Amino acid sequence: MSWQQEYHRRFYDRSRGWVDGTREFHDLCQELLPHGGPILEIGPGPSNRTSRFLAGLGDLHGLDPDPAASANDALASAALLEGERFPFEDLSFGACVSNFVLEHVADPVRHLLEVRRVLRPGAPYIFRTPNLFHYVALVAKVTPHRFHVRMANRLRKLSEDSHDPYPTFYRCNSRRAARSQALAA
């Protein structure tokens, strides 16, 4: 048994109380997103389980700095993020969702201002991001990005042609930081 398999067996065993965070995130989205309206997924990446789930709740549009997101089969449209301003009109969306994106945002205040600009009044922004004190975030925070590029895909047993990990900043990855950044926005 590989160390990854042993780790998953030990720490991600449902019979020992482990809860699937993706299922919880989807349940939260199901509960809070207005059904049928336009949803902006910030950082959808290529086709994935969360994008497909969100597409079942409304008209899903994507915004990503990586052109590979245009291949996401769940998106009604995909826009490329070039710079800080989102390429959408004010008040365009009934909800925004980000799944493991905020750790990659260099300027969370600017990001949150743009989210607010494109959201309709009272619309939710639902995001999931790693806990700053999780071992993955702790290791990522104290190691240089060049280490991530060299090791991350190998440790996760991803293929050689997988994209390099995106830079991480962890400026909005604790309850306190998220509140502080939101208040500043």
Short mmCIF file of all heavy atoms in Angstrom, two decimals, residues 113-136:
data_model
loop_
_atom_site.label_atom_id
_atom_site.label_comp_id
_atom_site.label_asym_id
_atom_site.label_seq_id
_atom_site.Cartn_x
_atom_site.Cartn_y
_atom_site.Cartn_z
N LEU A 113 -14.01 43.32 -4.29
CA LEU A 113 -14.66 44.50 -4.89
C LEU A 113 -15.24 44.14 -6.27
O LEU A 113 -16.34 44.57 -6.62
CB LEU A 113 -13.68 45.66 -5.01
CG LEU A 113 -13.34 46.39 -3.71
CD1 LEU A 113 -12.17 47.33 -3.91
CD2 LEU A 113 -14.56 47.12 -3.17
N GLU A 114 -14.50 43.36 -7.03
CA GLU A 114 -14.99 42.94 -8.35
C GLU A 114 -16.17 41.98 -8.20
O GLU A 114 -17.14 42.07 -8.97
CB GLU A 114 -13.88 42.29 -9.17
CG GLU A 114 -12.97 43.30 -9.83
CD GLU A 114 -13.74 44.20 -10.79
OE1 GLU A 114 -14.19 43.73 -11.85
OE2 GLU A 114 -13.90 45.40 -10.47
N VAL A 115 -16.09 41.07 -7.23
CA VAL A 115 -17.22 40.17 -6.98
C VAL A 115 -18.46 41.00 -6.66
O VAL A 115 -19.54 40.79 -7.22
CB VAL A 115 -16.91 39.17 -5.85
CG1 VAL A 115 -18.16 38.44 -5.39
CG2 VAL A 115 -15.83 38.17 -6.30
N ARG A 116 -18.31 41.96 -5.76
CA ARG A 116 -19.44 42.81 -5.39
C ARG A 116 -20.00 43.56 -6.60
O ARG A 116 -21.19 43.70 -6.76
CB ARG A 116 -19.04 43.81 -4.31
CG ARG A 116 -20.23 44.68 -3.90
CD ARG A 116 -19.89 45.83 -2.99
NE ARG A 116 -19.17 45.43 -1.82
CZ ARG A 116 -18.42 46.26 -1.10
NH1 ARG A 116 -18.31 47.52 -1.46
NH2 ARG A 116 -17.80 45.84 -0.04
N ARG A 117 -19.12 44.04 -7.46
CA ARG A 117 -19.54 44.82 -8.63
C ARG A 117 -20.41 43.99 -9.57
O ARG A 117 -21.41 44.48 -10.10
CB ARG A 117 -18.31 45.35 -9.38
CG ARG A 117 -18.66 46.23 -10.57
CD ARG A 117 -17.42 46.67 -11.34
NE ARG A 117 -16.72 45.58 -11.97
CZ ARG A 117 -17.10 44.97 -13.10
NH1 ARG A 117 -18.22 45.33 -13.71
NH2 ARG A 117 -16.38 43.99 -13.61
N VAL A 118 -20.03 42.72 -9.80
CA VAL A 118 -20.77 41.92 -10.78
C VAL A 118 -21.99 41.21 -10.18
O VAL A 118 -22.82 40.69 -10.93
CB VAL A 118 -19.86 40.89 -11.50
CG1 VAL A 118 -18.73 41.61 -12.23
CG2 VAL A 118 -19.35 39.82 -10.57
N LEU A 119 -22.09 41.21 -8.85
CA LEU A 119 -23.25 40.57 -8.21
C LEU A 119 -24.42 41.53 -8.12
O LEU A 119 -24.25 42.73 -7.90
CB LEU A 119 -22.90 40.12 -6.79
CG LEU A 119 -22.16 38.81 -6.64
CD1 LEU A 119 -21.81 38.56 -5.17
CD2 LEU A 119 -22.96 37.66 -7.22
N ARG A 120 -25.62 40.98 -8.25
CA ARG A 120 -26.84 41.74 -8.02
C ARG A 120 -26.99 41.98 -6.52
O ARG A 120 -26.45 41.21 -5.71
CB ARG A 120 -28.04 40.97 -8.57
CG ARG A 120 -27.95 40.82 -10.08
CD ARG A 120 -29.05 39.94 -10.62
NE ARG A 120 -28.87 39.81 -12.06
CZ ARG A 120 -29.39 38.83 -12.77
NH1 ARG A 120 -30.13 37.89 -12.20
NH2 ARG A 120 -29.18 38.78 -14.08
N PRO A 121 -27.72 43.02 -6.12
CA PRO A 121 -27.88 43.30 -4.68
C PRO A 121 -28.44 42.08 -3.93
O PRO A 121 -29.38 41.43 -4.37
CB PRO A 121 -28.89 44.45 -4.66
CG PRO A 121 -28.74 45.11 -5.99
CD PRO A 121 -28.40 44.01 -6.96
N GLY A 122 -27.78 41.77 -2.83
CA GLY A 122 -28.21 40.66 -1.98
C GLY A 122 -27.78 39.28 -2.46
O GLY A 122 -28.08 38.28 -1.80
N ALA A 123 -27.10 39.21 -3.59
CA ALA A 123 -26.67 37.93 -4.14
C ALA A 123 -25.49 37.37 -3.35
O ALA A 123 -24.63 38.13 -2.90
CB ALA A 123 -26.30 38.08 -5.62
N PRO A 124 -25.41 36.04 -3.19
CA PRO A 124 -24.33 35.46 -2.39
C PRO A 124 -23.05 35.23 -3.16
O PRO A 124 -23.07 35.01 -4.38
CB PRO A 124 -24.92 34.11 -1.95
CG PRO A 124 -25.82 33.73 -3.09
CD PRO A 124 -26.41 35.04 -3.58
N TYR A 125 -21.95 35.27 -2.44
CA TYR A 125 -20.66 34.78 -2.92
C TYR A 125 -20.30 33.62 -2.00
O TYR A 125 -20.04 33.81 -0.81
CB TYR A 125 -19.59 35.87 -2.87
CG TYR A 125 -18.21 35.41 -3.33
CD1 TYR A 125 -18.03 34.41 -4.28
CD2 TYR A 125 -17.07 36.01 -2.81
CE1 TYR A 125 -16.78 34.02 -4.70
CE2 TYR A 125 -15.80 35.62 -3.24
CZ TYR A 125 -15.66 34.62 -4.17
OH TYR A 125 -14.41 34.22 -4.60
N ILE A 126 -20.31 32.43 -2.53
CA ILE A 126 -20.02 31.23 -1.76
C ILE A 126 -18.65 30.73 -2.19
O ILE A 126 -18.41 30.50 -3.38
CB ILE A 126 -21.09 30.14 -2.00
CG1 ILE A 126 -22.46 30.69 -1.63
CG2 ILE A 126 -20.77 28.89 -1.19
CD1 ILE A 126 -23.61 29.79 -2.04
N PHE A 127 -17.76 30.57 -1.23
CA PHE A 127 -16.43 30.09 -1.57
C PHE A 127 -15.96 29.05 -0.58
O PHE A 127 -16.38 29.02 0.57
CB PHE A 127 -15.42 31.24 -1.67
CG PHE A 127 -15.24 32.03 -0.41
CD1 PHE A 127 -14.32 31.65 0.54
CD2 PHE A 127 -16.01 33.17 -0.18
CE1 PHE A 127 -14.15 32.39 1.70
CE2 PHE A 127 -15.85 33.92 0.97
CZ PHE A 127 -14.91 33.53 1.91
N ARG A 128 -15.07 28.19 -1.08
CA ARG A 128 -14.40 27.20 -0.24
C ARG A 128 -12.92 27.37 -0.49
O ARG A 128 -12.47 27.50 -1.62
CB ARG A 128 -14.86 25.79 -0.64
CG ARG A 128 -14.13 24.70 0.12
CD ARG A 128 -14.77 23.34 -0.04
NE ARG A 128 -14.60 22.77 -1.35
CZ ARG A 128 -14.51 21.45 -1.58
NH1 ARG A 128 -14.60 20.60 -0.58
NH2 ARG A 128 -14.38 21.00 -2.79
N THR A 129 -12.17 27.37 0.59
CA THR A 129 -10.73 27.57 0.49
C THR A 129 -10.06 26.77 1.59
O THR A 129 -10.69 26.49 2.61
CB THR A 129 -10.42 29.09 0.58
OG1 THR A 129 -9.06 29.31 0.27
CG2 THR A 129 -10.75 29.66 1.94
N PRO A 130 -8.82 26.36 1.39
CA PRO A 130 -8.18 25.56 2.44
C PRO A 130 -8.04 26.34 3.74
O PRO A 130 -7.81 27.54 3.74
CB PRO A 130 -6.79 25.26 1.87
CG PRO A 130 -6.87 25.51 0.43
CD PRO A 130 -7.95 26.53 0.23
N ASN A 131 -8.16 25.61 4.81
CA ASN A 131 -7.91 26.18 6.13
C ASN A 131 -6.42 26.53 6.20
O ASN A 131 -5.57 25.70 5.89
CB ASN A 131 -8.28 25.15 7.20
CG ASN A 131 -8.09 25.66 8.60
OD1 ASN A 131 -7.15 26.37 8.91
ND2 ASN A 131 -9.00 25.27 9.46
N LEU A 132 -6.13 27.72 6.61
CA LEU A 132 -4.75 28.18 6.69
C LEU A 132 -3.90 27.27 7.57
O LEU A 132 -2.69 27.16 7.38
CB LEU A 132 -4.71 29.62 7.23
CG LEU A 132 -3.35 30.28 7.33
CD1 LEU A 132 -2.68 30.35 5.96
CD2 LEU A 132 -3.49 31.67 7.90
N PHE A 133 -4.51 26.59 8.51
CA PHE A 133 -3.76 25.76 9.46
C PHE A 133 -3.76 24.27 9.09
O PHE A 133 -3.28 23.45 9.85
CB PHE A 133 -4.31 25.99 10.87
CG PHE A 133 -4.25 27.43 11.25
CD1 PHE A 133 -5.40 28.19 11.31
CD2 PHE A 133 -3.03 28.06 11.47
CE1 PHE A 133 -5.34 29.54 11.61
CE2 PHE A 133 -2.96 29.40 11.78
CZ PHE A 133 -4.12 30.15 11.85
N HIS A 134 -4.29 23.93 7.90
CA HIS A 134 -4.20 22.56 7.40
C HIS A 134 -2.76 22.31 6.97
O HIS A 134 -2.06 23.22 6.53
CB HIS A 134 -5.17 22.39 6.22
CG HIS A 134 -5.28 21.00 5.73
ND1 HIS A 134 -4.41 20.45 4.82
CD2 HIS A 134 -6.18 20.01 6.03
CE1 HIS A 134 -4.75 19.20 4.56
NE2 HIS A 134 -5.82 18.91 5.28
N TYR A 135 -2.31 21.08 7.07
CA TYR A 135 -0.91 20.78 6.78
C TYR A 135 -0.51 21.18 5.36
O TYR A 135 0.61 21.64 5.13
CB TYR A 135 -0.58 19.31 7.05
CG TYR A 135 -1.13 18.35 6.03
CD1 TYR A 135 -0.37 17.94 4.94
CD2 TYR A 135 -2.44 17.85 6.14
CE1 TYR A 135 -0.89 17.08 4.00
CE2 TYR A 135 -2.95 16.99 5.21
CZ TYR A 135 -2.18 16.61 4.14
OH TYR A 135 -2.69 15.75 3.20
N VAL A 136 -1.41 21.04 4.39
CA VAL A 136 -1.08 21.41 3.01
C VAL A 136 -0.81 22.91 2.92
O VAL A 136 0.17 23.35 2.32
CB VAL A 136 -2.19 20.98 2.03
CG1 VAL A 136 -1.94 21.56 0.64
CG2 VAL A 136 -2.28 19.46 1.97
#
